[in-house]
Amino acid sequence: MGRRSLLGLLAAASAGSALGQPRRDPPPEVADPRSSHFAFGPEGRQWRILVGLPAVPPPAQGYSVILSLDGATTFPHFWQHRQERAAQSPVILFAIGYEGANRRWYDLTSRAMKPIAPILFYRAPPADRLTGGREAFLAMIADQLLPELALRYPLDRDDMTIYGHSLGGLFVVHALLSRPGLFARYAAADPSVWWNAGESQREAAAFVAGVRAAGGTIRPGVRLMIAQAGRTRQNHPHDPTALVRILSGLGGLEVLYRPYPQESHGSLVGPSTGDALDWHLKR
């Protein structure tokens, strides 16, 4: 069998095993007076911002915040977990979804690059998906959305967690590496570390080198949780433990690695959102 055929079979087997994994049914859409949403952004390119108020009044410093990406999927999970685990906690839930066209590939990625040489398990984005909008999306969150939310609700801007899964997890890692002071906690579930042939690892290594050159400590300190479904496959392009190894030991950055060997990529959102909530509450 030729090398090209072997690569194709290996890539197909990897993709097929991931796509064939069972998915858990998501919780039903939230129907509660404390749940609402509003459109945000320019006409024709609006996001749907979902809001889940807690059952208790805000403390003097304001509500702590969990902001999740892919809101249509993640918001019901966070709502259900909060109801079951922390019904009386002053945690407000926000999630970013889409009004109309789903632009998540554009919002959550850097510009797609072709590898310099053939790389095993390299994945290209679908041909019909635009990429490369993550800097604008992060700027929107930091400079427009969070200030708007703080105008609408009493928030503790020093006590915020951002959560993302898959491409959303990749974006969360990038947000940490580019704006480490924006959130107190960054939760990345199965981040798409295969993107651009391991771009996140190169970005993490450059971040560590920059912090060490500037004194060796992130101030104020931040926390990172990386969740992984399935079995650990070290040195595999889809294995996020490389990020854990690169970032662990950096002053001011607490890294928590959470493996979920019994979960698939598709089923990870449920348990990882629950653990992210617990992690947030243990601040």
Side-chain angles (χ1 to χ4, degrees):
M1 179 181 293
R3 181 173 182 272
R4 179 173 298 177
S5 298
L6 176 60
L7 293 180
L9 285 174
L10 289 171
S14 175
S17 63
L19 293 174
Q21 298 273 5
R23 288 178 177 266
R24 294 182 176 180
D25 291 334
E29 289 189 17
V30 177
D32 189 283
R34 291 183 286 114
S35 174
S36 62
H37 63 82
F38 63 92
F40 185 78
E43 191 69 29
R45 288 195 70 255
Q46 292 181 318
W47 293 272
R48 172 171 290 191
I49 309 303
L50 297 97
V51 182
L53 293 172
V56 296
Q61 68 272 23
Y63 291 125
S64 71
V65 174
I66 296 178
L67 173 67
S68 61
L69 309 174
D70 291 317
T73 300
T74 60
F75 183 78
H77 283 286
F78 272 114
W79 179 277
Q80 183 179 66
H81 291 312
R82 191 186 62 180
Q83 290 295 96
E84 294 173 351
R85 305 182 187 202
Q88 299 303 310
S89 294
V91 180
I92 192 168
L93 305 175
F94 299 116
I96 304 176
Y98 293 90
E99 293 282 342
N102 188 324
R103 304 181 307 277
R104 72 183 298 270
W105 277 84
Y106 181 74
D107 282 349
L108 301 178
T109 62
S110 58
R111 184 169 62 88
M113 306 287 286
K114 291 184 177 180
I116 297 174
I119 297 177
L120 193 63
F121 298 113
Y122 170 73
R123 288 177 58 188
D128 61 341
R129 306 289 172 88
L130 294 177
T131 63
R134 72 180 182 185
E135 298 301 339
F137 186 54
L138 183 56
M140 181 280 292
I141 292 173
D143 303 333
Q144 300 174 38
L145 179 60
L146 291 179
E148 176 65 22
L149 294 175
L151 288 174
R152 295 181 180 225
Y153 307 96
L155 307 181
D156 182 353
R157 292 286 297 270
D158 294 324
D159 193 2
M160 301 194 301
T161 296
I162 183 171
Y163 170 94
H165 169 255
S166 195
L167 286 177
L170 178 73
F171 178 86
V172 165
V173 170
H174 173 71
L176 166 67
L177 300 178
S178 58
R179 299 202 187 200
L182 187 57
F183 295 90
R185 290 165 296 275
Y186 297 76
D190 258 2
S192 298
V193 295
W194 52 266
W195 181 255
N196 280 345
E199 180 182 72
S200 58
Q201 297 176 34
R202 299 189 293 274
E203 187 180 10
F207 174 77
V208 169
V211 171
R212 287 178 174 160
T217 300
I218 301 172
R219 293 190 177 90
V222 295
R223 299 165 68 190
L224 169 67
M225 181 176 82
I226 293 182
Q228 180 184 7
R231 295 182 179 181
T232 301
R233 298 169 292 174
Q234 290 191 3
N235 301 317
H236 189 282
H238 296 184
D239 177 23
T241 58
L243 284 175
V244 176
R245 292 192 296 271
I246 293 169
L247 294 170
S248 293
L250 187 63
L253 177 61
E254 179 184 326
V255 181
L256 173 65
Y257 171 64
R258 292 299 306 270
Y260 298 79
Q262 302 306 315
E263 300 294 337
S264 70
H265 182 76
S267 70
L268 182 61
V269 174
S272 66
T273 49
D275 282 351
L277 173 63
D278 293 342
W279 182 61
H280 174 90
L281 293 171
K282 291 176 182 176
R283 54 196 182 276

